[in-house]
Amino acid sequence: MAVAGAHRPGPLKQQNKAHKGGKHSGSSHRRAGGRVSVKAQPRRRLRDLSRVDRRHQALQLRRQRKEAVLAEKRSLGSRDGPPHLVVLVPLHSRAAAPATLRLLQSQDSAVVRVDEGRDGDFALLCPRLKQRWRFVTAQAGDLHAVLDLAKVADSLLFILDPVDGWDSAGEYCLSCLFAQGLPSYALAVPGGADLPPKKRIDARKKLAKAIEKRFPEAKLFPLNTEQESSLLLRHLATQKQRHLAFRDRRAHLLAYAAEFVPSQETALLGTLKVSGFVRGQTLDVNSLVHIVGHGDFQMSQVDAPPDPLSLNPRVVKGQKRSQDMEVQDDSVNGSDEMEEDVKVLMKADPNKQESLQSEVVPDPMEGEQTWPTEEELQEAEASLKANRRVVKVPKGTSKYQAAWIVDEEEGSQEDDDDDDDDIDDDMMEEAVSQEGESSEEEEEPAEEECETMTVSECLRDDQYDEKVEEDEQMLERYKQERMDEMFPDEVDTPRDVPARVRFQKYRGLKSFRTSPWDPKENLPRDYARIFQFQDFSRTRKNLFRQIEKEETEGASVGWYVTLHVCNVPVSVMESFKEGKPLVLFSLLPHEQKMSVLNFLVRRHPSNSEPVRAKEELVFHCGFRRFRASPLFSQHTSADKHKLERFLRPDAALVVTVYAPITFPPASVLLFKQRSNGMHDLIATGSLLSVDPDRIVIKRLVLSGHPFKIFTKTAVVRYMFFNREDVMWFKPVELRTKWGRRGHIKEPLGTHGHMKCHFDGQLKSQDTVLLNLYKRVFPKWTYDPHVPEPVPWVRSESAPPLQEVEME
């Protein structure tokens, strides 16, 4: 009898656990036969802490961190630490930097020391507050000066306009500073009292809304009275310091004074005596120093002259007598009294000093056959005797000349061989010419000419030509970039050269992701000049661990020292006299050596001009700047990375160049130099790795069209134009744009038609593709000299994207 209403379980129905059908411990115990596996005991057993002990441990760690922050804040600008370095950065053409300086100098109970010959640079000593500052003004429009000063500054003081805040040049300067790494900062608005009272509130609201995007939690400091300047100084002294990783692990200093002593051989080189306060880490005399913008150098000794910015009044009185003799303090022929004041801290040890060698000098005979043994020489002589023959020669002919005289029969054979060699030579010449085209990353002659013109214009800044950056060429570049987006990596098969010769350096891959590729295969000659680490990450960890343990000996942080830098060109001193900042960074071990650096960058939204691979760009990497022609490749987790021909605006790419080793983390800025000398910011990012084994693969796609379509076979044409090419590329797998896969079965006729088999029926509008791959390497175009950019102005000549039409 059927039940009318079936029972439905409610929400309180018992739910039993499912059966775990996995390991069966009983059978495993039986198989073990009573044997017990050995448990690996840790070296240091962590005893279980009670709840109270865990709370005490967390409290101690929190207290230690707080004390470390307070100690750092107290040491900056104090008697034992370096002066608080504040860099004034005007962000608007109407920003009143001189008025700001006058207000900051008008502090009560403060001693002002103005740097002679440098406008806007002065030191402020406050013995009552036990603080000392050094203010340096960055010249408006000088991009290199602003970036170099920001590398070493403790605080940045941005000078804003009370109405507009910042202009286009100030926006560009902020973009560069944010990308490089921003230290602690403050925002000052001088000149607000000049506005009518009714407009002050509106201007303040408008300015607060404008800075909210760039500086979300920043506070505006009006700067019109001495009391407001005192509040600003107190804020600068007490605010939390922001750390830049690339400078915290290296000793660095900003030159306070400098003197150049020419060498005896030439007046163009000499010893540069740079005086300044050590910052960051302990400075070792045996390490190398990098003068930003000028290169790497060795030091001979480190002196300890009297501190010119001491808070001790007694030292200040004694310093008055030596102000007029500042140049003679470090000179060799100084007075005995001055020589007593200058103490030699340390001198370089030639056995421990770092070498300036940046490249490996390859031995051209390395890997050649060794000198033959006596047995091999005897065998060679026996074979020569066996091959000797009697030939009639003219009188007076030597053995060497007789060896070249041939009989008539041999002459006819050699004529045939010469014909074959001529054919081979012609083929090789075509291959070499085509290889030259492929090395420029171009497939069409017109594109190659365009790139060649661009590289030649950027090789040296004195070789610019005014007619290079024309609108027609820029429009052509936009078309090439759009074509690469629509048809990525597709090329036309040449008609005049066999495809098996044109693409002889390429290969097919079953799978781009999983097919193996040996990273040591067919390396270029430039790889013999670079250095490579067996384990780069382990070397980096060991170096940073030594820095944290403070195992180095030398000049401590806060000391006022004089560095004797050897073999420095006189141009460094000339730029310092012109008012340019002189910034020095000590190098970690191996950082002067060349290797392959990979940067992870993203296109900056302010720039939309097409940037082709292997164009010369200006790099600002950490504390270095240089010029190089990079490769662009995709950022993936695989072991092979596809080359990109243009810098994509919508994705992060990896930039590969030959450059000196730098240990990450380090920021990187990419600039492109215009024909008028301006530097446009095109990309920002960070240092990814130092890895010569990173494989960058260039892909070529040959396309064909289905001529006749059957169930799973089709006749394809226009991919090749002769029968031999079809047979040559027969092992390579085919694919279509609609997702079909197949292979070549056989050629049809002599004009490149071929029968292909696919895993399904093709559509008539489908396109058959064949992928070829080749590993590419960057060019050795590293140049440490970067010309000074002219003041930046927003470019209005670039055509908008929607105006670029494709034919």
Side-chain angles (χ1 to χ4, degrees):
M1 181 176 177
V3 181
H7 173 69
R8 295 181 180 179
L12 300 179
K13 182 182 184 305
Q14 177 179 340
Q15 298 288 339
N16 296 327
K17 292 182 179 179
H19 174 64
K20 295 181 180 179
K23 298 179 180 180
H24 298 283
S25 59
S27 60
S28 61
H29 281 305
R30 285 193 296 270
R31 285 194 300 270
R35 294 187 296 271
V36 181
S37 60
V38 180
K39 293 183 179 180
Q41 294 291 337
R43 295 181 180 177
R44 183 182 61 182
R45 292 185 61 86
L46 298 175
R47 62 187 183 88
D48 296 333
L49 299 178
S50 63
R51 183 179 179 183
V52 177
D53 292 339
R54 287 198 305 270
R55 187 175 295 174
H56 285 169
Q57 188 180 37
L59 184 64
Q60 289 174 354
L61 292 175
R62 188 163 60 248
R63 188 176 299 160
Q64 289 175 2
R65 287 195 293 267
K66 186 177 180 180
E67 289 177 355
V69 171
L70 289 176
E72 178 190 6
K73 190 180 295 185
R74 293 191 190 105
S75 65
L76 184 62
S78 64
R79 183 187 63 181
D80 299 328
H84 193 131
L85 180 58
V86 182
V87 176
L88 278 72
V89 183
L91 294 181
H92 200 283
S93 57
R94 298 195 302 265
T100 305
L101 295 176
R102 285 194 297 270
L103 278 174
L104 292 173
Q105 292 177 7
S106 62
Q107 298 295 316
D108 295 335
S109 68
V111 181
V112 178
R113 297 285 184 84
V114 180
D115 293 356
E116 297 181 0
R118 299 184 179 279
D119 297 334
D121 293 7
F122 68 94
L124 194 65
L125 308 179
C126 296
R128 182 173 60 86
L129 300 176
K130 298 181 180 179
Q131 285 284 328
R132 52 181 181 170
W133 290 273
R134 185 185 174 194
F135 292 89
V136 180
T137 304
Q139 298 179 3
D142 192 348
L143 179 64
H144 283 182
V146 173
L147 293 179
D148 291 349
L149 288 171
K151 290 180 175 69
V152 295
D154 297 315
S155 298
L156 294 181
L157 181 59
F158 293 115
I159 311 298
L160 306 181
D161 182 69
V163 179
D164 298 330
W166 54 76
D167 52 9
S168 60
E171 176 75 19
Y172 177 71
C173 179
L174 284 177
S175 299
C176 297
L177 287 173
F178 272 91
Q180 179 179 266
L182 200 64
S184 304
Y185 60 88
L187 304 177
V189 187
D194 300 337
L195 295 175
K198 294 182 179 180
K199 293 185 178 180
R200 289 179 190 173
I201 299 177
D202 295 339
R204 188 177 301 173
K205 289 182 180 179
K206 181 182 176 182
L207 194 58
K209 188 176 181 180
I211 69 169
E212 186 177 359
K213 183 179 180 181
R214 279 286 189 183
F215 309 98
E217 300 177 357
K219 181 182 177 183
L220 282 174
F221 287 88
L223 206 60
N224 301 310
T225 61
E226 295 183 8
Q227 184 179 4
E228 291 174 342
S229 65
S230 300
L231 289 175
L232 177 60
L233 280 179
R234 186 177 294 115
H235 172 74
L236 289 174
T238 57
Q239 71 175 345
K240 183 180 179 181
Q241 293 299 309
R242 303 176 65 176
H243 294 275
L244 299 181
F246 74 89
R247 77 177 185 186
D248 286 344
R249 294 189 173 96
R250 299 170 179 87
H252 55 277
L253 61 86
L254 175 66
Y256 185 79
E259 178 189 359
F260 184 77
V261 180
S263 63
Q264 298 178 356
E265 291 80 7
T266 175
L268 299 178
L269 292 176
T271 300
L272 184 66
K273 299 179 181 179
V274 185
S275 300
F277 293 90
V278 180
R279 302 172 185 272
Q281 294 290 332
T282 303
L283 179 64
D284 186 10
V285 70
N286 293 317
S287 63
L288 300 179
V289 292
H290 176 80
I291 302 179
V292 177
H294 298 283
D296 304 335
F297 303 95
Q298 288 180 329
M299 291 182 289
S300 59
Q301 73 180 50
V302 177
D303 299 339
D307 189 348
L309 304 180
S310 176
L311 289 170
N312 192 341
R314 180 175 55 83
V315 178
V316 172
K317 289 181 181 178
Q319 193 69 21
K320 291 180 182 178
R321 183 184 38 163
S322 62
Q323 280 180 350
D324 299 333
M325 307 181 68
E326 183 180 358
V327 178
Q328 287 84 7
D329 279 351
D330 299 334
S331 62
V332 179
N333 299 323
S335 62
D336 296 338
E337 187 176 359
M338 291 297 104
E339 288 181 358
E340 291 179 0
D341 291 342
V342 178
K343 299 177 182 178
V344 179
L345 287 181
M346 61 199 83
K347 290 191 176 183
D349 186 0
N351 298 325
K352 298 180 180 179
Q353 198 169 24
E354 288 280 344
S355 172
L356 281 172
Q357 181 186 5
S358 61
E359 301 177 18
V360 179
V361 180
D363 185 6
M365 300 301 294
E366 187 177 2
E368 292 291 329
Q369 181 180 345
T370 56
W371 189 258
T373 61
E374 294 183 0
E375 297 178 357
E376 293 174 343
L377 290 174
Q378 292 175 1
E379 290 179 2
E381 289 180 0
S383 63
L384 285 176
K385 290 179 181 179
N387 293 332
R388 281 180 184 173
R389 51 191 171 81
V390 179
V391 182
K392 291 182 180 180
V393 296
K395 190 176 181 180
T397 305
S398 64
K399 292 182 179 180
Y400 178 78
Q401 291 170 332
W404 289 91
I405 297 178
V406 296
D407 296 336
E408 294 180 359
E409 297 178 357
E410 292 184 1
S412 62
Q413 294 177 0
E414 290 190 358
D415 290 340
D416 298 337
D417 296 336
D418 290 339
D419 294 339
D420 297 336
D421 292 340
D422 292 339
I423 296 175
D424 294 338
D425 291 341
D426 293 340
M427 300 289 287
M428 287 305 297
E429 288 176 2
E430 291 176 357
V432 169
S433 65
Q434 296 296 331
E435 178 187 346
E437 293 179 10
S438 64
S439 66
E440 293 293 331
E441 298 297 323
E442 299 300 325
E443 285 73 33
E444 298 180 9
E447 294 180 359
E448 183 187 359
E449 290 175 6
C450 178
E451 184 177 10
T452 306
M453 293 175 66
T454 306
V455 173
S456 65
E457 71 161 6
C458 293
L459 284 177
R460 290 290 183 270
D461 59 333
D462 57 353
Q463 295 178 359
Y464 276 100
D465 196 353
E466 296 179 355
K467 62 181 181 180
V468 174
E469 295 275 344
E470 294 181 351
D471 294 340
E472 293 182 0
Q473 289 189 354
M474 184 58 67
L475 185 62
E476 185 67 26
R477 292 185 129 196
Y478 275 106
K479 288 183 178 180
Q480 292 173 8
E481 186 181 29
R482 185 69 60 85
M483 185 71 74
D484 188 62
E485 288 180 5
M486 295 187 346
F487 307 101
D489 303 323
E490 288 194 30
V491 297
D492 295 329
T493 307
R495 303 288 297 268
D496 53 345
V497 181
R500 62 186 182 278
V501 177
R502 171 64 181 85
F503 307 119
Q504 62 181 348
K505 291 198 171 185
Y506 291 81
R507 69 180 72 174
L509 292 178
K510 178 70 175 175
S511 170
F512 183 81
R513 185 179 61 87
T514 60
S515 296
W517 197 301
D518 186 8
K520 303 297 184 184
E521 175 188 359
N522 293 334
L523 298 179
R525 191 175 294 272
D526 289 335
Y527 265 52
R529 302 166 58 184
I530 65 173
F531 291 84
Q532 182 178 6
F533 293 94
Q534 188 174 4
D535 190 346
F536 178 74
S537 60
R538 184 177 62 185
T539 305
R540 174 176 169 271
K541 287 180 181 178
N542 291 338
L543 280 176
F544 289 174
R545 193 177 297 117
Q546 292 176 6
I547 293 172
E548 292 175 359
K549 292 180 180 178
E550 298 180 355
E551 296 178 354
T552 57
E553 297 180 356
S556 299
V557 177
W559 289 6
Y560 183 77
V561 297
T562 299
L563 310 181
H564 293 243
V565 188
C566 305
N567 298 324
V568 179
V570 69
S571 59
V572 180
M573 189 64 192
E574 291 174 354
S575 67
F576 182 68
K577 289 180 179 179
E578 293 173 358
K580 306 285 185 183
L582 188 60
V583 178
L584 282 77
F585 274 84
S586 68
L587 298 183
L588 300 177
H590 314 296
E591 283 198 327
Q592 78 279 13
K593 300 173 182 176
M594 297 290 290
S595 188
V596 178
L597 270 63
N598 301 303
F599 306 103
L600 180 61
V601 302
R602 187 177 288 273
R603 186 75 175 264
H604 196 265
S606 65
N607 188 277
S608 60
E609 294 184 4
V611 181
R612 189 194 299 275
K614 294 193 176 181
E615 279 189 32
E616 188 176 71
L617 302 177
V618 177
F619 288 76
H620 287 239
C621 175
F623 52 88
R624 292 185 186 273
R625 57 174 176 260
F626 54 89
R627 292 188 288 177
S629 300
L631 292 180
F632 302 143
S633 59
Q634 294 179 352
H635 179 50
T636 60
S637 59
D639 60 340
K640 295 180 290 296
H641 312 273
K642 192 178 84 68
L643 177 81
E644 292 289 345
R645 289 176 170 81
F646 289 90
L647 188 62
R648 301 293 182 194
D650 55 347
L653 295 181
V654 176
V655 177
T656 303
V657 291
Y658 291 110
I661 294 169
T662 304
F663 289 99
S667 59
V668 61
L669 287 76
L670 269 65
F671 293 88
K672 185 177 179 182
Q673 188 165 347
R674 293 191 211 165
S675 58
N676 57 4
M678 292 184 191
H679 289 184
D680 285 332
L681 180 65
I682 62 171
T684 60
S686 59
L687 177 59
L688 180 65
S689 64
V690 180
D691 186 13
D693 287 341
R694 189 177 187 274
I695 302 175
V696 180
I697 302 295
K698 178 186 177 183
R699 184 181 71 173
L700 286 186
V701 180
L702 304 181
S703 58
H705 301 277
F707 178 49
K708 294 181 181 179
I709 300 175
F710 302 98
T711 306
K712 286 193 175 183
T713 60
V715 178
V716 180
R717 61 179 177 177
Y718 301 148
M719 183 178 289
F720 304 109
F721 298 101
N722 57 70
R723 186 183 184 91
E724 291 77 11
D725 287 345
V726 177
M727 296 299 295
W728 179 269
F729 291 100
K730 187 176 179 182
V732 184
E733 186 182 20
L734 300 176
R735 67 178 180 90
T736 70
K737 289 190 175 182
W738 287 52
R740 296 298 180 193
R741 290 185 175 273
H743 60 274
I744 302 172
K745 289 186 69 174
E746 58 180 354
L748 299 177
T750 60
H751 294 286
H753 290 207
M754 55 187 182
K755 184 188 291 185
C756 304
H757 182 81
F758 294 93
D759 57 358
Q761 189 170 9
L762 295 187
K763 304 286 186 180
S764 60
Q765 66 269 29
D766 206 349
T767 305
V768 181
L769 305 176
L770 183 141
N771 293 340
L772 298 175
Y773 303 94
K774 181 186 74 168
R775 185 179 179 184
V776 291
F777 301 91
K779 292 182 178 179
W780 192 287
T781 54
Y782 172 77
D783 186 2
H785 172 68
V786 177
E788 290 291 332
V790 300
W792 187 83
V793 178
R794 185 184 298 276
S795 175
E796 303 293 344
S797 61
L801 289 178
Q802 58 266 22
E803 295 182 5
V804 180
E805 298 180 358
M806 298 300 300
E807 296 179 359

